[in-house]
Amino acid sequence: MLRLYDTRSRQLEAIVPANGRVVRLYACGPTVYRYAHVGNLRSYLLPDLIRRVLEQSRVRSVICQNITDVGHLVDDDEIDPSGEDKVLQQARREGRSALEIARFYEDAFRRDLSTLNVRTPEYTPRASESIDLMIELIAKLIEMGHAYAVEDGSVFFDARSFPSYGEISGNRLDALKPGHRVEGVDPRKRFHADWALWKGAEREMTWETPWGRGFPGWHIECSAMSLRFLGEHIDIHTGGKDLRFPHHEDERAQSNASAGHDVVKHWVHGEHLLFDGRKMAKSTGNVLLLSDVKDAGLDPLAVRLAFLEHRYRQQMNLTWDTLQAADRTLRRWRQRVAEWAESPSRPIAAEYAARARAAFDDDLDTPAALRVVRELERDETVDPGSRFETFLHLDHVLGLDLSIDIGKPPAVPVLPPGATELLEARAKARDAKDWPTSDRLRDELATLGVKVTDTPDGQTWS
Ligand code: AMP
Ligand code: ZN
């Protein structure tokens, strides 16, 4: 049986579906205003991994993952952020409509997930098409005394009406200070920690409501969509750890206030991905896209394997070296599987399969499961036909396409982004006999994974 670390209870909990044999899982989805970077993708892999591990125990899952195409503001880290909508801001930058931007990046997101063998969730509702659900939920919260409308058409959640606020992140209401961006407390609010469910506004992507024209807050979107598509008993809710506060605290308050009980049983959060030692984030420009990995001639599933080498709630530092190592492992395993496929089929190596499964069930200990895979690869006492079947069996969870690519010629090497410019600059430096610059550029290229060799005919690379 799968056990996961529950952020709210701060301990490992067995996953027992509230509703028979089907686990209901809600995964916070993307805001579709740019390409997802591989850090985001690490968070989106989590629900897929949970689903695949549950299937080993013959537990099925239903997954809902929202697509946020309106309402997520540029600065949504404060409990009540004010600012510009991320999608609208990008639309202005690219000279396109908000809808065009949202659909374009939503398609890119779906392609990325499919490339990473993340199975499509059963429900992927768009916020802009779920406005009625949000209006209904807000109206209910007002009626129950958990929310109040103000003159400009905005509606706020009354934080003090939900005393258990803060159980996920530890940010209790009495400890929350008034936001530092606003001069004093927003006079529209009854209490400084109240947050907007609806924001009165006249602009693109706004809707008419009983309170006035406007657009939804980001947090109410997830409450409305999860309650509608999965109901009032959701077994697991996932997201990256930065979503614990305020997004998940606010969502929990809204959903629980509406249902009258805890809607989500287990809150599960993925740790952040670092790239070359720094958090991968668009804001700092430290970003790697799946397309960069492909452009560098690597199999994009090397990213999936690199992720699996770390447990989901372990911080992980990705580098070009780790990606290249994962790519080599992937190719080697496929090669071996192709060789073993030549032998007659044999039953799976039950002891290895059981150990890997126990590792997966143990809070998704994928590094331990991969150690079992490597051990089996080397164990010559196990019949090749049996190793073939066991690798394929484990690949149901790993999702690495271990049985494909047989006989495929090796990928043509492609330079990583920025390397062409560095090679050109180095050729010039060598022409000018500027050896220090030439050496520096060679080292820079090496950090990108490009090895330069000087020949009588000039430099070559591999
Ligand atoms: P955002 O588009 O910033 O709302 O993020 C989308 C999802 O990606 C959320 O679940 C975030 O928690 C997650 N996320 C953002 N940055 C990282 C990162 N560097 N590593 C892992 N997950 C991340
Ligand atoms: Zn969410």
Side-chain angles (χ1 to χ4, degrees):
M1 181 192 290
L2 172 62
R3 280 149 42 99
L4 291 173
Y5 183 80
D6 183 317
T7 311
R8 189 166 73 97
S9 70
R10 288 161 178 69
Q11 61 187 15
L12 290 176
E13 304 256 8
I15 303 302
V16 183
N19 172 9
R21 294 195 71 76
V22 179
V23 161
R24 295 176 185 279
L25 189 155
Y26 187 83
C28 277
T31 304
V32 282
Y33 70 107
R34 56 159 166 80
Y35 293 112
H37 56 61
V38 300
N40 302 135
L41 295 175
R42 186 184 189 201
S43 289
Y44 302 140
L45 178 65
L46 180 55
D48 182 66
L49 204 53
I50 294 174
R51 146 172 284 175
R52 287 166 178 267
V53 170
L54 286 169
E55 277 176 3
Q56 293 187 119
S57 306
R58 302 201 294 153
V59 175
R60 287 169 297 132
S61 48
V62 177
I63 300 184
C64 177
Q65 182 172 46
N66 62 293
I67 303 283
T68 296
D69 53 1
V70 63
H72 194 170
L73 303 184
V74 172
D75 186 358
D76 246 334
D77 292 340
E78 294 289 307
I79 191 162
D80 182 37
S82 49
E84 207 178 358
D85 186 293
K86 290 188 178 191
V87 176
L88 288 179
Q89 187 192 58
Q90 189 63 22
R92 228 192 20 257
R93 279 193 190 138
E94 296 192 23
R96 297 199 271 174
S97 75
L99 204 65
E100 277 174 324
I101 289 292
R103 296 297 176 269
F104 177 86
Y105 289 109
E106 180 185 325
D107 285 348
F109 162 75
R110 290 181 192 275
R111 276 198 305 278
D112 280 350
L113 289 201
S114 142
T115 304
L116 272 192
N117 277 346
V118 170
R119 285 197 241 144
T120 310
E122 281 67 23
Y123 303 109
T124 51
R126 293 176 181 140
S128 66
E129 291 169 355
S130 310
I131 301 293
D132 288 352
L133 306 179
M134 299 174 207
I135 294 176
E136 213 177 288
L137 179 57
I138 295 170
K140 183 175 176 191
L141 290 171
I142 294 177
E143 202 181 294
M144 294 175 83
H146 286 291
Y148 53 94
V150 298
E151 221 169 272
D152 72 353
S154 298
V155 180
F156 290 94
F157 189 90
D158 182 350
R160 288 174 301 180
S161 76
F162 187 72
S164 80
Y165 189 94
E167 284 188 2
I168 302 172
S169 63
N171 287 321
R172 297 299 193 151
L173 283 182
D174 47 14
L176 289 175
K177 300 273 177 293
H180 56 266
R181 275 175 186 72
V182 200
E183 288 298 318
V185 176
D186 184 337
R188 297 171 303 168
K189 293 191 205 174
R190 293 182 187 162
F191 180 64
H192 67 82
D194 294 350
W195 65 90
L197 304 177
W198 191 263
K199 304 185 188 199
E202 291 278 350
R203 60 154 172 78
E204 205 186 341
M205 303 280 268
T206 51
W207 291 263
E208 221 41 79
T209 72
W211 320 287
R213 202 169 178 83
F215 63 95
W218 175 38
H219 318 306
I220 196 70
E221 298 182 359
C222 283
S223 285
M225 291 189 255
S226 61
L227 287 168
R228 171 57 60 97
F229 290 95
L230 298 178
E232 291 188 347
H233 294 278
I234 298 173
D235 298 290
I236 304 174
H237 192 309
T238 65
K241 73 166 192 175
D242 56 307
L243 299 189
R244 288 175 304 187
F245 174 83
H247 186 55
H248 287 166
E249 293 292 7
D250 292 2
E251 191 186 325
R252 175 171 174 268
Q254 296 155 175
S255 300
N256 287 12
S258 154
H261 56 80
D262 251 312
V263 170
V264 171
K265 188 89 183 285
H266 305 293
W267 293 89
V268 178
H269 293 98
E271 246 296 348
H272 274 154
L273 180 78
L274 310 182
F275 184 52
D276 278 336
R278 288 185 297 131
K279 186 191 161 189
M280 184 169 292
K282 166 109 162 92
S283 52
T284 58
N286 188 34
V287 161
L288 182 75
L289 307 182
L290 212 49
S291 55
D292 296 330
V293 176
K294 279 191 259 185
D295 289 348
L298 302 179
D299 189 312
L301 284 176
V303 174
R304 185 170 174 124
L305 175 55
F307 288 163
L308 296 175
E309 300 275 12
H310 298 77
R311 205 189 227 149
Y312 71 99
R313 60 188 176 89
Q314 187 185 9
Q315 201 177 67
M316 138 171 208
N317 184 26
L318 193 72
T319 63
W320 280 109
D321 279 349
T322 49
L323 280 172
Q324 273 152 354
D327 185 74
R328 283 193 299 274
T329 304
L330 207 50
R331 288 173 200 280
R332 190 183 74 233
W333 282 348
R334 288 176 183 160
Q335 181 60 39
R336 304 244 37 208
V337 168
E339 288 159 16
W340 297 331
E342 302 294 317
S343 300
S345 172
R346 291 276 181 278
I348 64 167
E351 191 252 350
Y352 279 100
R355 278 167 56 207
R357 179 171 163 178
F360 288 132
D361 277 346
D362 178 15
D363 196 21
L364 308 176
D365 192 350
T366 50
L370 289 175
R371 282 196 294 277
V372 175
V373 172
R374 288 187 162 92
E375 207 183 304
L376 173 62
E377 180 192 4
R378 290 190 304 266
D379 189 346
E380 300 296 333
T381 67
V382 180
D383 191 278
S386 174
R387 275 187 272 174
F388 173 85
E389 298 295 348
T390 315
F391 262 60
L392 258 58
H393 170 74
L394 295 176
D395 202 26
H396 287 307
V397 178
L398 299 172
L400 296 172
D401 288 350
L402 293 179
S403 61
I404 66 149
D405 270 10
I406 297 167
K408 192 175 146 196
V412 180
V414 179
L415 285 167
T420 309
E421 292 78 4
L422 292 176
L423 282 169
E424 280 167 10
R426 187 169 181 274
K428 275 198 196 123
R430 293 189 68 76
D431 287 344
K433 302 203 185 321
D434 178 357
W435 311 123
T437 304
S438 158
D439 288 350
R440 180 177 54 76
L441 291 167
R442 185 195 55 214
D443 294 345
E444 270 184 50
L445 282 155
T447 64
L448 294 180
V450 180
K451 183 170 183 283
V452 186
T453 312
D454 293 309
T455 73
D457 299 328
Q459 61 183 7
T460 62
W461 60 268
S462 59

